[in-house]
Amino acid sequence: MANQPTGTSDGAICWGILGTGFIAGLQAQDLNENGFTVQAVGSRSLDSSNAFAEQYGVATAHGSYEDLVADPLVDVVYIATPHPFHHANALLALNAGKHVLVEKSFTMNAREARDIVDLSESKGLVALEAMWTRFLPHMVRLREIIQEGTIGEVRKVVASHNQSLPKDPAHRLNDPALGGGALLDLGIYPVSFAFDILGTPESIRASASMTATGVDRQTAAIFDYAGGQQAIVDCELDAASANRAMVIGTEGWIDLESTWYNPVPFTVHAVDGSVIERYEQPVSSRGMQYQAAELERLIRAGDTAGTILPPSESVAVMAAMDEIRRQIGLSYDADAAVQGTPND
């Protein structure tokens, strides 16, 4: 039974934001614009926390993560730090009795993901991966169409996430010490999408090109499934593309427009190319409020896992990412414990 909200007398679930970077601001803005209660923010710098609180109208600014998770008015902590820090930050919040919404990629590897999930389950707390795309209205409708059999038996998923991002070798995206590379930042979207539609693959084949700093510049993978289905996913951090996605079935296909992981229209085609359905629903704000709504729903229902993205699937996604990294020869400091080095 998940812990019930305790932050305010009116029963509102109160959010704390851990980290004050770009993504933290996007989430705070969507929370504010859609009626959620943002109670506190925490940073390693009180100045940064104060500036964030002023910009987003947050009641309390804390000068440490420890103070944030100890705040008795906070029920949920949104973990918005770079992914090498998700594991420690999430465990800190969970040990303080807080539910967590953890930015993707959920962790650096499957071992860290299991740590978070195991602790949350032992404490009856929600640990939800902030894969916001899963909860958007167009993805809800897409899953309905597939379940209805409109495109027949799904045979293939194709999804790309390619962006032209900073080339500075010292930038976080290019720094192996900070979990840099295309896969963890960009590839997580198409990998998670393949899991959403087809589940856990039976086998994976991957290849990549590396940067001078030793992280993956571009990565592509084919997921093979027991029933013969395939997912083809790719990502790149130094060249942009339309970033479209398709779900292909025996009776038609679904074409998700650019940029597919945002709230975008999609078209359902029959095998002859005729249009069966055109889905287009405007979304207020950026759309990150839907994942927050799912977390609050779980808390109020006393559940620790939903069906759209259960914690076990976040672990499975990270295991697939681990296998891709094994094949392309990309390892991080966080993998040392997996390999059994003295850093255990």
Side-chain angles (χ1 to χ4, degrees):
M1 191 80 173
N3 288 8
Q4 295 300 305
T6 58
T8 63
S9 58
D10 63 1
I13 293 172
C14 293
W15 289 73
I17 311 293
L18 192 150
T20 55
F22 176 70
I23 193 71
L26 293 178
Q27 182 68 75
Q29 182 168 318
D30 277 11
L31 290 171
N32 284 334
E33 291 177 354
N34 291 277
F36 295 84
T37 302
V38 184
Q39 176 65 34
V41 60
S43 171
R44 292 171 298 178
S45 160
L46 184 57
D47 287 344
S48 177
S49 193
N50 280 328
F52 188 96
E54 182 177 353
Q55 181 175 358
Y56 296 103
V58 181
T60 306
H62 294 289
S64 73
Y65 300 152
E66 290 77 10
D67 286 348
L68 173 69
V69 303
D71 189 329
L73 295 182
V74 170
D75 299 301
V76 181
V77 174
Y78 168 60
I79 309 295
T81 47
H83 38 255
F85 309 107
H86 290 175
H87 178 250
N89 296 157
L91 295 184
L92 179 72
L94 289 167
N95 277 317
K98 311 301 184 184
H99 307 279
V100 291
L101 178 65
V102 185
E103 258 310 321
K104 62 349 197 176
S105 59
F106 192 57
T107 51
M108 294 296 291
N109 53 48
R111 174 188 60 82
E112 290 187 344
R114 282 190 293 270
D115 284 350
I116 293 172
V117 171
D118 288 348
L119 181 60
S120 66
E121 289 178 348
S122 73
K123 290 181 172 292
L125 296 165
V126 180
L128 182 66
E129 181 183 357
M131 176 46 72
W132 65 298
T133 303
R134 291 268 186 126
F135 307 97
L136 293 172
H138 75 298
M139 288 298 176
V140 174
R141 179 58 189 145
L142 181 144
R143 287 189 289 268
E144 290 173 348
I145 290 168
I146 292 171
Q147 287 297 316
E148 291 162 0
T150 304
I151 62 169
E153 178 189 342
V154 174
R155 292 287 178 82
K156 188 181 296 182
V157 170
V158 182
S160 296
H161 190 182
N162 305 305
Q163 295 192 37
S164 183
L165 299 172
K167 311 297 191 295
D168 180 0
H171 192 279
R172 177 187 69 81
L173 288 165
N174 303 306
D175 186 350
L178 293 176
L183 182 64
L184 264 63
D185 260 275
L186 306 179
I188 182 64
Y189 283 91
V191 168
S192 186
F193 183 54
F195 269 77
D196 192 9
I197 305 304
L198 292 173
T200 302
E202 187 173 68
S203 63
I204 296 173
R205 292 170 283 166
S207 66
S209 298
M210 312 303 281
T211 68
T213 59
V215 300
D216 64 311
R217 176 177 62 80
Q218 62 179 36
T219 295
I222 299 174
F223 291 1
D224 291 303
Y225 294 83
Q229 304 93 337
Q230 290 181 321
I232 302 170
V233 298
D234 68 271
C235 57
E236 182 161 357
L237 53 68
D238 64 354
S241 74
N243 292 325
R244 298 178 77 101
M246 282 192 297
V247 180
I248 302 168
T250 55
E251 302 299 327
W253 73 92
I254 304 171
D255 181 17
L256 289 90
E257 298 183 5
S258 179
T259 300
W260 66 268
Y261 50 84
N262 287 318
V264 296
F266 66 75
T267 304
V268 185
H269 297 271
V271 288
D272 63 1
S274 60
V275 175
I276 299 173
E277 178 179 334
R278 168 76 175 172
Y279 181 88
E280 187 167 3
Q281 177 177 315
V283 167
S284 64
S285 306
R286 185 174 187 247
M288 296 173 74
Q289 68 271 22
Y290 294 98
Q291 62 186 1
E294 170 65 4
L295 194 146
E296 290 202 359
R297 185 193 68 79
L298 289 169
I299 293 173
R300 295 191 188 283
D303 294 330
T304 57
T307 59
I308 295 177
L309 183 52
S312 60
E313 188 163 311
S314 292
V315 175
V317 167
M318 290 315 305
M321 304 274 274
D322 288 353
E323 174 59 17
I324 292 171
R325 290 197 296 112
R326 185 192 68 78
Q327 292 188 26
I328 67 176
L330 176 59
S331 62
Y332 297 111
D333 290 345
D335 300 322
V338 177
Q339 298 163 356
T341 70
N343 292 326
D344 281 2

